[in-house]
Amino acid sequence: MALTGRAALLAALGTLPVGIWEPSWAGILAVNAPLALACACDFALAAPVRRLGLTRSGDTSVRLGETVDVTLTVTNPSGRLLRARLRDAWPPSSWEPGTEVAASRHRLTVPPGERRRLTTRLRPTRRGDRQADRVTIRSYGPLGLFSRQGSHKVPWTVRVLPPFTSRKHLPSKLARLRELDGRTSVLTRGEGTEFDSLREYVPGDDTRSIDWRATARQTTVAVRTWRPERDRHILLVLDTGRTSAGRVGDAPRLDASLDAALLLAALASRAGDRVDLLAYDRRVRALVQGRAARDVLPSLVNAMATLEPELIETDARGLTATALRTAPRRSLIVLLTSLDAAPIEEGLLPVLPRLTQRHTVLVAAVADPHIAQMAMARGNTEAVYEAAAAAQAQTDRHRTAEQLRRHGVTVVDATPDDLAPALADAYLALKAAGRL
């Protein structure tokens, strides 16, 4: 025997025996009254959501690519047991793709008058500040038939810092620095211009280093030794204009520039030099000045965390004027920008003499390794055309770098993986040559 639509629905809900053909409304009400009463009781026994107390604690910063835990404390001030599902909402870039649901959803049970702690583990995929959104809680009754739902604003900010992957090169660069500074027992002193001490002449020493007065007072020939100067000023200038937004591999050029700047800052501060930072496109995006050696790196990392490329053309005149105001005395100005012909020839070259007449200037740029791969490609017509285009791009880049060198600028042009150590080597070479 077939059931009518209404009878089938009620039978599916378990509120009507399957064998009944056409129930009367009185029968339906009689059967459903206990269910309705159970639902009402279940709703009434669900702990209220609005009265819950929520607070956060945990870390406020993390390096890109690492994990960080943020603790959420839920306090139940009511007299009912809290059985709930909770969603701790953060921006999508707070997790790797596909892991948000598992990381942000929680189940909890909180007895009356007690509290429980939940941990949300974040693994951000972008630099900058990640701010917590609302916490949504669904409170269930003991039967799970009905629930109450509400949201709370529980502010918290986690700053995602640059990863500083180039710090693996720091020990080798510090060893080279100690070699220049004469603090190794097997290597000679550097060729700086700050007098350090006297020692006995050995074949191969520069005769211009002989101290004739000291030689006259003893029976052996004495030569002066030198060490690289200390307490020099270094200004790191980050170009945050549109060229820094170009992607090389999986990241924008700006990220490689940040990493290189951090390695140089760590090395220079260990060498006893003072390091400042300026980020500029058409206005100042970040400025770090006058930090003690122990505070330089944390200050730079914190300032760089929120930097993003701006899709505007960099004002070279404004950048030069701001750099000159930031470095009023002779300094090493390290400009991390692009070697694209148009921005250099039309923007930087006309104002470059204002920098070079007072300061030592070093330009560091990120090269695309894909261009070198294209230049070597052969095998079919399309690959040959790509190789020709890549060769033309390399020629333009080399011509731009040569124009800068003719103005007395040191140029470092390297791929993202090689830029940081190459920039550190250029700094050490300038220091060894006494140009700082």
Side-chain angles (χ1 to χ4, degrees), residues 4 6 14 24 52 84 92 96 104 112 123 137 149 174 192 246 249 254 302 325 374 397 404 423 428:
T4 63
R6 183 186 304 170
S24 65
L52 297 176
E96 293 180 341
S104 63
R123 189 181 180 89
I137 302 175
Q149 181 168 309
L174 288 175
L254 180 60
N302 191 58
R325 288 195 302 270
M374 289 174 57
R397 195 174 185 89
L404 292 171
L423 180 58
L428 292 172

Side-chain angles (χ1 to χ4, degrees), residues 57-96:
S57 60
D59 297 325
T60 56
S61 63
V62 62
R63 288 196 182 277
L64 183 65
E66 298 179 358
T67 59
V68 61
D69 292 337
V70 178
T71 301
L72 182 68
T73 302
V74 181
T75 304
N76 179 15
S78 71
R80 306 170 196 167
L81 178 66
L82 174 67
R83 308 171 186 84
R85 292 183 180 179
L86 180 147
R87 177 176 181 259
D88 190 4
W90 290 75
S93 58
S94 301
W95 294 280
E96 293 180 341

Side-chain angles (χ1 to χ4, degrees), residues 13-190:
L13 293 175
T15 60
L16 187 66
V18 176
I20 298 180
W21 283 63
E22 286 288 344
S24 65
W25 284 110
I28 293 175
L29 291 175
V31 172
N32 282 285
L35 178 61
L37 180 60
C39 290
C41 292
D42 200 44
F43 179 77
L45 293 175
V49 174
R50 301 294 181 185
R51 294 173 56 191
L52 297 176
L54 285 82
T55 57
R56 291 190 188 274
S57 60
D59 297 325
T60 56
S61 63
V62 62
R63 288 196 182 277
L64 183 65
E66 298 179 358
T67 59
V68 61
D69 292 337
V70 178
T71 301
L72 182 68
T73 302
V74 181
T75 304
N76 179 15
S78 71
R80 306 170 196 167
L81 178 66
L82 174 67
R83 308 171 186 84
R85 292 183 180 179
L86 180 147
R87 177 176 181 259
D88 190 4
W90 290 75
S93 58
S94 301
W95 294 280
E96 293 180 341
T99 64
E100 176 184 357
V101 173
S104 63
R105 267 68 168 183
H106 305 275
R107 289 178 177 269
L108 75 160
T109 301
V110 186
E114 296 187 14
R115 66 185 65 182
R116 293 291 184 270
R117 291 183 176 87
L118 303 172
T119 298
T120 299
R121 176 158 293 179
L122 309 179
R123 189 181 180 89
T125 58
R126 291 180 57 189
R127 285 183 296 103
D129 289 338
R130 297 292 167 267
Q131 297 180 344
D133 201 348
R134 62 188 68 238
V135 176
T136 302
I137 302 175
R138 181 172 293 176
S139 172
Y140 291 89
L143 300 177
L145 299 175
F146 271 80
S147 63
R148 303 170 184 263
Q149 181 168 309
S151 298
H152 293 256
K153 277 284 189 180
V154 191
W156 194 261
T157 301
V158 173
R159 174 156 290 189
V160 187
L161 307 174
F164 193 15
T165 55
S166 64
R167 64 180 178 270
K168 62 188 177 185
H169 299 289
L170 187 57
S172 63
K173 305 308 174 187
L174 288 175
R176 174 59 179 156
L177 178 64
R178 287 191 294 271
E179 178 185 327
L180 292 177
D181 205 20
R183 285 179 282 171
T184 56
S185 58
V186 296
L187 297 172
T188 61
R189 292 185 180 273

Side-chain angles (χ1 to χ4, degrees), residues 232-237 323-324 327 329-335 352-363 407-411 426-427 429-431 433-436:
R232 300 303 180 186
H233 181 229
I234 299 173
L235 177 62
L236 303 173
V237 182
L324 290 173
R329 286 179 281 190
R330 182 167 181 78
S331 308
L332 170 63
I333 295 182
V334 180
L335 176 58
L352 191 58
R354 296 178 58 193
L355 291 175
T356 55
Q357 69 181 1
R358 187 188 304 177
H359 304 290
T360 301
V361 180
L362 191 159
V363 171
H407 284 78
V409 176
T410 301
V411 178
Y427 162 78
L430 291 173
K431 209 164 185 63
R435 294 182 58 188
L436 295 185

Side-chain angles (χ1 to χ4, degrees), residues 292-375:
R294 65 179 180 277
D295 299 327
V296 166
L297 207 58
S299 299
L300 294 187
V301 168
N302 191 58
M304 291 175 178
T306 57
L307 287 178
E308 294 292 344
E310 302 292 333
L311 300 182
I312 54 179
E313 197 71 41
T314 299
D315 178 11
R317 292 186 181 276
L319 184 149
T320 301
T322 306
L324 290 173
R325 288 195 302 270
T326 308
R329 286 179 281 190
R330 182 167 181 78
S331 308
L332 170 63
I333 295 182
V334 180
L335 176 58
L336 294 113
T337 184
S338 73
L339 279 182
D340 294 349
I344 295 292
E345 294 175 358
E346 299 174 10
L348 183 60
L349 285 179
V351 297
L352 191 58
R354 296 178 58 193
L355 291 175
T356 55
Q357 69 181 1
R358 187 188 304 177
H359 304 290
T360 301
V361 180
L362 191 159
V363 171
V366 182
D368 190 345
H370 185 60
I371 299 297
Q373 296 173 4
M374 289 174 57

